[in-house]
Amino acid sequence: MSTRWLAGAMTVACMVLVGPSAPSDALFDRSPPEAVRDVVPNRVMTWNICNPCEESDVDRAAEIASYAPQVIGLQEACVGDVERIREYLQYLHGLVYHVEYGSVLSSWGRCGGVPWNPGGFGQAVLSAAPMTDRVNVEYPDGGSEDRGYMAVTTTVGGRSVRVFNTHLAQRSQEEVRAEQVGVLAAEVARHDRAIVLGDFNAVPEAPELTRVWELATDTDPQCRPSLAGTCKTTTDWHTKFDYIFLRGIAPLRHRVESTSYSDHNLLHTDLDPT
């Protein structure tokens, strides 16, 4: 058996053990290069990336890169997946992002790791501009699973803005979601300029979303509780659960992008920088 053949076999074996979603050190120089591609200024995206769905992080990154938003809110996000997505965005697509995490639980079954140190699961925010003042809040009652919100301050359109990212309790838990919205809305109300991203697991006319509607508007000007029939759906089960709520900021245009890599579509909006 030649030394070259043995080295090749060991390489293949390592690739099988690591799995297709993990970045290769041979591909990624750990000294990050400068961005070689610009993000779309003032574009904000929210996406529940579906976990556990066993989708490739390479494909998830390519999907995000297609729209190159300045700010990205991810839900159902494992820290390890987000790390890989961020690396693929940088080294395969030339898009460089800062990242902050809002994990609400540790889950070996969903996120891997080792039994005594499982991966974090929850929300994440990626931003082309630096972020400060991160907070991570777990709701007092998560319903059937721990849920929470995270918030960061970053710059959009040359102005400071508070960005919130949340995932509310599952569909049949309206009373729990109402309590969660109360916690979130109380914090959003403290800011004159805010972007609230996330999977709210509720349709626009749901009573539990009332306090959010009192503070902000959805990026879709045709989507209001009284006009719910005109909202574009964002899930595979033909409902709108995903929102980009804006407070003190005006939208220019928005799109719902279908994807085969999650049971939620991508929602992104371009904001008026003034």
Side-chain angles (χ1 to χ4, degrees), residues 109-262:
R110 286 193 175 204
C111 297
V114 292
W116 57 89
N117 187 25
F121 175 81
Q123 287 72 246
V125 172
L126 286 76
S127 173
M131 294 176 279
T132 61
D133 303 321
R134 181 191 70 91
V135 299
N136 186 32
V137 176
E138 187 173 337
Y139 293 125
D141 183 358
S144 56
E145 180 180 80
D146 293 354
R147 296 289 165 91
Y149 77 84
M150 63 177 296
V152 298
T153 297
T154 189
T155 302
V156 176
R159 300 178 63 186
S160 178
V161 63
R162 193 67 170 163
V163 177
F164 295 82
N165 184 16
T166 192
H167 187 189
L168 300 188
Q170 293 179 352
R171 283 177 281 176
S172 61
Q173 301 170 4
E174 294 86 352
E175 293 182 1
V176 175
R177 285 199 300 276
E179 294 177 359
Q180 294 171 346
V181 167
V183 173
L184 176 63
E187 185 61 26
V188 173
R190 297 179 59 246
H191 302 274
D192 294 332
R193 286 171 50 83
I195 301 170
V196 187
L197 311 167
D199 174 3
F200 285 72
N201 268 321
V203 294
E205 66 270 27
E208 63 266 29
L209 296 189
T210 299
R211 290 193 63 183
V212 180
W213 286 114
E214 291 172 350
L215 294 170
T217 56
D218 186 60
T219 184
D220 182 353
Q222 299 301 316
C223 188
R224 302 289 183 269
S226 59
L227 301 171
T230 66
C231 298
K232 293 183 179 179
T233 62
T234 63
T235 68
D236 285 356
W237 44 95
H238 306 296
T239 54
K240 178 178 171 66
F241 280 177
D242 304 273
Y243 298 83
I244 298 177
F245 285 110
L246 303 174
R247 177 173 169 84
I249 305 170
L252 292 177
R253 63 192 67 84
H254 75 283
R255 291 284 301 272
V256 177
E257 310 284 359
S258 61
T259 175
S260 59
Y261 302 117
S262 175

